[in-house]
């Protein structure tokens, strides 16, 4: 049993993958709690899917994926913001249109003959292909996001709990709603290398959903979400190693599995 | 303490369309002002203006400091994982630097504020599991922690149970005794008649002054328009309508 747990750690590839997921967990878990409380899950999904063209273009140009991801997130966010202003469409339809267009554009680019055959890696990540530089970039971003979330705890509470009174209590709501989306963008960029733009959402939303079901206090939910995200990372890598399945997918499935286990435990409604 | 001074106040949410105009009144320390008016009459707009949150605003507002605001209870999220004590503590957030914990004195103040509204026992209860009246009292406790000279309360007595209503009125009396100024939006004319001043709004200021001078059937008719029911005797006029929006 102990060997089942420790054997995989002998491999430097697994060591880096583990470090990457644990660092991401520190940001993704708490971020997910906030995203769910702010009812931003749809925006989160949209941002991460909408950045595909940026990723593909970076792959085409041989540029670092982080640059492509950043550009892709910015373009997706700008597109969502612009289309969302059209009252005839409404923001949800606007988001759907933008995201479908960007995902389609990304697919066309990815399937072009000139593109290196990396579409699967972009969509599903390559946790086992993480090198030291990737790890450093993801680590800095993830730790920065976690620290920012901790520092912004009180204004985020004021805005999320009672938006209409937030200003009188010292927080400008629009500023913190935008800040949360910026942190979401940063986390998306940090996580895309390892988990891909389809799977990273699982590590953000599933631990948060589980923690919110089980916890009655916000501080406990934030801590538990980070712990559950880390657990999903460890479990996923173990399953991936022993069952020889894709690492990113195994982590995502573990996160969702943990969320499903929490359903009968909690008295609180899922968000 | 200098109370509240408003002159020539007009404004609204978009340029060129005033939701409220020509408001001018002063309220001294230790006065409770009942604000009457129909739905959409400008009560919440006046509060937004006093909070400095109205997008379009003309006129002068003199305040002794930032006012505390108590929203209608249904504006706060019920699915948010916070306890009654957590909510009361939010009143101290504005004076807590982001890198510090909330001060011990403020934690004690939050506990005392909950005790004042009769909810010491419920401090650890999740906000969303409390009754409407209890939630309203928690939001008032939050305003007590803010320790503001001027408090703006948006229909704090609408739809609350009798125990909560009595407790809230008792706290109002204490705050008046401390020399604070309370602006209380209400639909209950009889309640407002028991306070120090009455402000009647219908997209503009209809009247302001002592209840005995202001609460005439004519003024109430002008304030409420078609929404008013005058019961026999005239003194028991009751505004109809429940909540904004």
């Amino acid at each position: 049993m102990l060997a089942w747990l420790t054997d995989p750690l002998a491999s430097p590839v697994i060591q880096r993958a583990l470090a990457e997921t644990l660092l991401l967990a520190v940001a993704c878990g708490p971020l997910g709690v906030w995203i769910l409380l702010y009812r931003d899950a749809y925006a989160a999904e949209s941002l991460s899917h909408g950045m595909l063209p940026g990723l593909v273009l970076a792959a085409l140009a041989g540029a670092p994926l982080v640059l492509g991801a950043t550009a892709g997130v910015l373009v997706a966010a700008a597109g969502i913001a612009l289309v969302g202003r059209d009252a005839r469409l409404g923001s949800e339809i606007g988001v759907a249109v933008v995201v479908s267009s960007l995902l389609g554009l990304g697919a066309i680019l990815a399937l072009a003959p000139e593109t290196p055959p990396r579409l699967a890696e972009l969509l599903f990540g390559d946790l086992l292909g993480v090198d030291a530089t990737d790890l450093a970039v993801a680590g800095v971003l993830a730790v920065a996001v976690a620290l920012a979330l901790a520092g912004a705890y009180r204004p985020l509470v004021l805005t999320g709990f009672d938006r209409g009174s937030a200003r009188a209590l010292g927080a400008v709501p629009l500023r913190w709603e935008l800040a949360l989306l910026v942190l979401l963008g940063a986390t998306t960029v940090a996580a895309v290398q390892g988990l891909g733009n389809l799977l990273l959402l699982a590590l953000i939303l599933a631990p948060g959903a589980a923690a919110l079901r089980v916890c009655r206090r916000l501080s406990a939910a934030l801590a538990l979400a980070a712990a559950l995200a880390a657990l999903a990372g460890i479990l996923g890598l173990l399953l991936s190693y022993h069952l020889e399945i894709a690492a990113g997918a195994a982590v995502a499935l573990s996160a969702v599995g943990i969320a499903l286990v929490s359903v009968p435990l909690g008295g609180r409604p899922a968000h | 303490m200098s109370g509240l001074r408003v002159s020539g106040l007009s404004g609204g949410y978009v340029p060129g369309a005033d939701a409220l105009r020509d408001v001018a009144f002063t309220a001294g320390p230790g006065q409770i002002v009942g604000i009457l008016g129909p739905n959409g009459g400008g009560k919440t707009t006046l509060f937004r203006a006093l909070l400095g949150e109205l997008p379009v605003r003309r006129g002068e507002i003199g305040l002794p400091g930032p006012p505390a605001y108590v929203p209608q209870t249904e504006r706060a999220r019920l699915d948010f994982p916070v306890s009654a004590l957590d909510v009361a503590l939010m009143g101290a957030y504005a004076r807590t630097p982001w890198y510090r914990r909330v001060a011990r004195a403020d934690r004690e103040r939050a506990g005392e504020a909950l005790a004042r509204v009769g909810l010491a026992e419920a401090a650890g209860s999740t906000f969303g599991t409390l009754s409407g009246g209890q939630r309203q009292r928690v939001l008032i406790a939050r305003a007590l922690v803010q320790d503001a000279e001027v408090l703006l309360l948006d229909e704090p007595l609408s739809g609350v149970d009798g125990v909560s209503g009595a407790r809230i009125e008792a706290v109002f009396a204490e705050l008046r005794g401390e020399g604070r100024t309370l602006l209380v939006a209400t639909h209950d004319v009889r309640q407002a008649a028991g306070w120090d001043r009455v402000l009647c709004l219908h997209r503009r200021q209809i009247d302001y002054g002592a209840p005995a001078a202001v609460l005439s059937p004519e003024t109430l008719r002008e304030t409420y328009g078609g929404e008013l029911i005058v019961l026999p005797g005239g003194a028991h006029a009751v505004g109809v309508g429940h909540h904004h929006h």
Side-chain angles (χ1 to χ4, degrees), chain B residues 4 9 18 48 50 63 128 152 155 167 178 182 219 221:
Chain B
L4 167 69
L9 177 68
D18 285 348
R48 290 280 158 224
L50 294 175
L63 283 161
L152 315 174
E155 301 189 22
R167 195 79 205 193
E178 291 170 13
L182 273 65
T219 305
R221 197 169 291 123

Side-chain angles (χ1 to χ4, degrees), chain A residues 44-56 65 69 72-73 99 102-104 106-107 118-126 188-189 191-202 204:
Chain A
E45 170 119 24
S46 312
L47 265 191
S48 75
H49 292 183
M51 73 180 170
L52 185 61
L55 294 175
V56 176
L65 275 189
V73 163
V99 168
L102 288 174
L103 204 56
R118 292 174 67 191
L119 180 60
E121 180 193 328
L122 301 179
L123 291 175
F124 305 114
D126 184 11
T188 304
V189 168
V192 73
Q193 168 83 35
L195 293 170
N197 80 325
L198 293 183
L199 297 180
L200 66 90
L201 253 294
I204 294 180

Side-chain angles (χ1 to χ4, degrees), chain B residues 107-132:
Chain B
R107 294 183 176 278
E108 286 166 8
R109 206 190 296 248
E112 287 161 14
L114 285 177
R116 264 179 96 170
V117 297
L119 289 174
E121 309 280 297
S125 303
T126 302
F127 180 79
T129 63
L130 299 172
S131 76

Side-chain angles (χ1 to χ4, degrees), chain B residues 78-131:
Chain B
L78 298 184
D79 59 351
F80 218 78
V82 285
S83 69
L85 185 64
D86 291 333
V87 176
L89 270 175
M90 291 178 197
Y93 281 6
R95 56 177 175 263
T96 308
W98 66 270
Y99 51 88
R100 287 244 178 89
R101 280 168 55 85
V102 175
R104 181 190 295 269
D106 278 325
R107 294 183 176 278
E108 286 166 8
R109 206 190 296 248
E112 287 161 14
L114 285 177
R116 264 179 96 170
V117 297
L119 289 174
E121 309 280 297
S125 303
T126 302
F127 180 79
T129 63
L130 299 172
S131 76

Side-chain angles (χ1 to χ4, degrees), chain A residues 252-266:
Chain A
L253 280 175
S254 302
V256 174
I258 287 169
L260 288 177
V261 168
S262 78
V263 169
L265 296 180

